[in-house]
Amino acid sequence: MKIKIISMSIISCCIVACTNVAETEKKSEMINFNEISNTYFKSYAPVFEPSINRIGNKSGTILIKKKNLSKKEMNTVTDKMKTDGWVEFEHSTNYALYCLNKYQLIGILYPNNLIERNKNGEEIIYEDINSWNIGLYYNQNGINSCIK
């Protein structure tokens, strides 16, 4: 009888441990940038420009003309993102960072000038101030901005 209880305990521990490993692996999987674009921005005529496409490290930018997406509409989009699990890590008047776990980040900029600054005073330079600049980043090793 004791052997059965001990065996059941060991099996239960293994199942829980395997489940936790599977959950961790799933959390680090990248959400496809096209899926993000379609889920949140499809109706605003987004233009996606990939920049880095390596195994475990990807980035790109979604550009949306300001005339197609108002700040009020963007608030609705970011509310949906938060409902879907994205966490706001940084927010200023024209710039916000959202992370999904520590592996994936969306940076949203509503540029008014060719040079904007983040909260650390670092310059963010843009060529097109007539469009929302939505940066998408994924790194399988984690993104510093997303680590608490």
Side-chain angles (χ1 to χ4, degrees), residues 97-114:
L97 287 180
Y98 296 87
C99 296
L100 184 67
N101 56 52
K102 66 179 184 177
Y103 306 100
Q104 198 146 355
L105 175 139
I106 296 177
I108 300 174
L109 176 73
Y110 184 89
N112 288 323
N113 301 303
L114 292 176

Side-chain angles (χ1 to χ4, degrees), residues 78 88-92 94-98 106-110:
T78 56
E88 185 177 273
F89 268 72
E90 185 176 329
H91 184 85
S92 66
N94 297 326
Y95 182 72
L97 287 180
Y98 296 87
I106 296 177
I108 300 174
L109 176 73
Y110 184 89

Side-chain angles (χ1 to χ4, degrees), residues 33-88:
F33 292 163
N34 288 326
E35 183 181 332
I36 291 171
S37 184
N38 289 334
T39 300
Y40 301 112
F41 306 107
K42 185 176 183 176
S43 60
Y44 306 108
V47 174
F48 179 69
E49 297 177 352
S51 54
I52 297 173
N53 189 8
R54 288 184 240 142
I55 294 173
N57 188 14
K58 300 188 185 312
S59 70
T61 303
I62 297 172
L63 298 172
I64 300 174
K65 295 290 181 193
K66 289 180 179 179
K67 67 181 182 181
N68 295 342
L69 177 60
S70 70
K71 283 188 172 186
K72 184 176 181 180
E73 290 170 309
M74 181 57 89
N75 288 337
T76 303
V77 170
T78 56
D79 286 345
K80 180 175 177 11
M81 288 171 50
K82 290 175 188 176
T83 300
D84 292 346
W86 292 88
V87 177
E88 185 177 273

Side-chain angles (χ1 to χ4, degrees), residues 89-92 95 97 117-122 124 145:
F89 268 72
E90 185 176 329
H91 184 85
S92 66
Y95 182 72
L97 287 180
R117 295 188 183 275
N118 65 13
K119 72 177 184 179
N120 297 328
E122 298 164 332
I124 305 167
S145 298

